[in-house]
């Protein structure tokens, strides 16, 4: 019996307008009314993700920042997995030396490298290139009102780094950066779309966060459905026997999942939920 449905956001739950459409919202409400818990599993921070769910009156638990934070349906942090300070100090020094744009995510704030330049130049460029970084732009756009410049960031136990995102249009430069990051065994390096790398602690992955969450609920992975479209979804697709990849996912991601569904622009998440509800009636 399915007891938990965990969905990625960008490229999965969200359509081409980067919102939760009415059909998908209705499917989620129907699912919750049928007694199945719905959960978000996203690379977004809580503030950005919750704005989108609240717009459709959806209340649910959330895995944020790829698994570095888990919130209950009331927004309380029930699990966190920060990065190690010494490692991040080395990573930031490398990024500064190589003039790479990056963001630092903590529970309270997002810090941008050279914030003003980023907003004035880079974000405008992102918007011009839909195929390159529509997903990246959508994730960052919601944070612009809350973000700070990276120069304002200071390490403290009260404000640990939970995730970093690195952005560059040069594939070779990103590849070299990935090779550098792979020297740190405690890091998990993935991507949510072209032109970015995402860094979390190796234990901060969506699939591992789901396992921690369901252990407290008394579920097993057989009771879970997961659905996603990109590399930062890989762990929850691989660890779940009832996993779905979106039609807009790469072939690599589709091979990781047990099933596929329609694209995010064709109500893929809603279709899976509606089929699940129909099967529950039988």
């Amino acid at each position: 019996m399915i007891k938990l449905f965990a969905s990625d956001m960008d490229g999965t739950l969200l359509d081409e307008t980067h919102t939760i459409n009415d059909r998908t919202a209705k499917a989620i409400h129907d699912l919750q009314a049928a007694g199945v818990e719905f959960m978000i599993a996203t690379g977004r921070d809580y503030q950005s993700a919750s704005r989108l769910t609240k717009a459709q009156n959806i209340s649910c638990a959330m895995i944020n920042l790829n698994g570095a934070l888990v919130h209950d349906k009331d927004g309380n942090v029930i699990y966190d997995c920060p990065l190690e300070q010494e490692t991040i100090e080395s990573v930031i020094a490398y990024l500064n030396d190589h003039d790479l744009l990056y963001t630092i995510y903590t529970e309270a704030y997002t810090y941008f490298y050279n914030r003003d330049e980023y907003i004035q130049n880079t974000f405008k460029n992102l918007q011009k290139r839909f195929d390159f970084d529509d997903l990246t732009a959508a994730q960052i756009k919601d944070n612009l009102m809350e973000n700070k410049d990276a120069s304002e960031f200071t390490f403290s136990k009260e404000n640990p780094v939970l995730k970093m995102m690195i952005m560059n249009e040069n594939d070779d430069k990103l590849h070299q950066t990935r090779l550098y990051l792979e020297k740190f065994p405690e890091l998990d390096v993935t991507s949510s779309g072209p032109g970015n790398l995402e860094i979390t602690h190796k234990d901060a992955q969506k699939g591992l966060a789901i396992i921690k969450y369901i252990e407290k609920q008394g579920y097993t992975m057989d009771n879970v459905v997961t659905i996603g479209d990109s590399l930062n979804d890989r762990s929850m697709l691989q660890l779940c026997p009832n996993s779905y990849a979106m039609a807009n996912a790469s072939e690599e991601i589709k091979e990781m999942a047990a099933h596929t569904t329609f694209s995010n622009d064709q109500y893929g998440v809603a279709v899976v939920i509606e089929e699940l509800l129909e099967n529950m009636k039988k």
Side-chain angles (χ1 to χ4, degrees):
M1 178 182 293
I2 300 303
K3 297 181 179 180
L4 176 69
F5 190 104
S7 175
D8 171 51
M9 292 197 89
D10 292 280
T12 303
L13 184 68
L14 307 183
D15 63 18
E16 70 275 13
T17 67
H18 302 291
T19 59
I20 303 172
N21 59 64
D22 290 344
R23 176 177 171 182
T24 302
K26 181 181 184 304
I28 293 169
H29 287 301
D30 290 345
L31 184 73
Q32 292 175 321
V36 178
E37 183 177 2
F38 179 77
M39 179 182 226
I40 296 291
T42 180
R44 288 178 179 247
D45 60 55
Y46 180 78
Q47 291 80 4
S48 169
S50 61
R51 276 197 292 272
L52 293 165
T53 55
K54 287 176 181 176
Q56 286 287 11
N57 198 30
I58 296 169
S59 176
C60 64
M62 286 192 191
I63 294 168
N64 299 102
L65 303 178
N66 290 345
L69 277 179
V70 181
H71 294 84
D72 65 20
K73 64 182 181 63
D74 298 316
N76 302 306
V77 176
I78 56 177
Y79 170 75
D80 69 345
C81 187
L83 290 155
E84 296 176 15
Q85 178 175 334
E86 184 177 351
T87 297
I88 293 306
E89 287 177 339
S90 298
V91 170
I92 290 174
Y94 175 91
L95 299 176
N96 288 336
D97 288 344
H98 291 78
D99 198 28
L100 286 155
L101 290 172
Y102 61 87
T103 57
I104 299 170
Y105 294 86
T106 69
E107 183 180 344
Y109 295 105
T110 301
Y111 300 83
F112 286 93
Y113 169 76
N114 202 333
R115 175 184 181 274
D116 291 340
E117 179 184 346
Y118 174 81
I119 294 174
Q120 294 173 9
N121 299 317
T122 307
F123 187 68
K124 291 179 181 178
N125 292 334
L126 296 180
Q127 288 181 307
K128 292 177 182 177
R129 297 187 57 185
F130 180 89
D131 61 332
F132 166 63
D133 45 26
D134 186 51
L135 297 183
T136 302
Q139 290 179 56
I140 294 171
K141 186 176 181 180
D142 285 336
N143 289 318
L144 291 179
M145 298 305 294
E146 292 94 6
N147 74 71
K148 297 189 174 189
D149 192 272
S151 63
E152 299 180 66
F153 174 76
T154 55
F155 286 97
S156 70
K157 292 182 179 179
E158 295 75 27
N159 193 39
V161 177
L162 296 164
K163 173 186 166 183
M164 290 189 68
M165 179 183 284
I166 302 165
M167 293 154 285
N168 198 278
E169 296 183 9
N170 187 313
D171 290 341
D172 182 64
K173 202 166 186 177
L174 277 184
H175 177 67
Q176 294 302 317
T177 303
R178 179 185 281 274
L179 293 178
Y180 169 77
L181 296 172
E182 288 175 352
K183 297 177 181 179
F184 301 93
E186 71 274 23
L187 295 183
D188 180 65
V189 184
T190 185
S191 173
S192 61
N196 74 48
L197 295 175
E198 299 187 2
I199 309 169
T200 57
H201 192 280
K202 65 180 177 59
D203 294 331
Q205 299 181 42
K206 293 182 182 182
L208 300 180
I210 288 173
I211 289 174
K212 288 181 180 295
Y213 184 80
I214 65 175
E215 284 176 349
K216 294 183 178 181
Q217 305 297 320
Y219 308 156
T220 68
M221 270 298 198
D222 289 330
N223 304 129
V224 179
V225 172
T226 60
I227 186 165
D229 75 303
S230 61
L231 284 171
N232 65 353
D233 301 314
R234 70 191 188 284
S235 60
M236 71 175 187
L237 298 179
Q238 292 172 324
L239 292 170
C240 181
N242 307 305
S243 59
Y244 287 80
M246 307 298 289
N248 48 286
S250 68
E251 290 304 314
E252 180 183 7
I253 296 301
K254 291 176 183 176
E255 290 176 3
M256 296 178 184
H259 311 282
T260 58
T261 184
F262 296 101
S263 72
N264 63 316
D265 293 343
Q266 296 176 311
Y267 308 102
V269 172
V271 169
V272 175
I273 293 175
E274 290 161 0
E275 291 177 349
L276 175 59
L277 291 172
E278 283 299 315
N279 291 333
M280 289 173 62
K281 295 176 183 178
K282 296 177 182 179

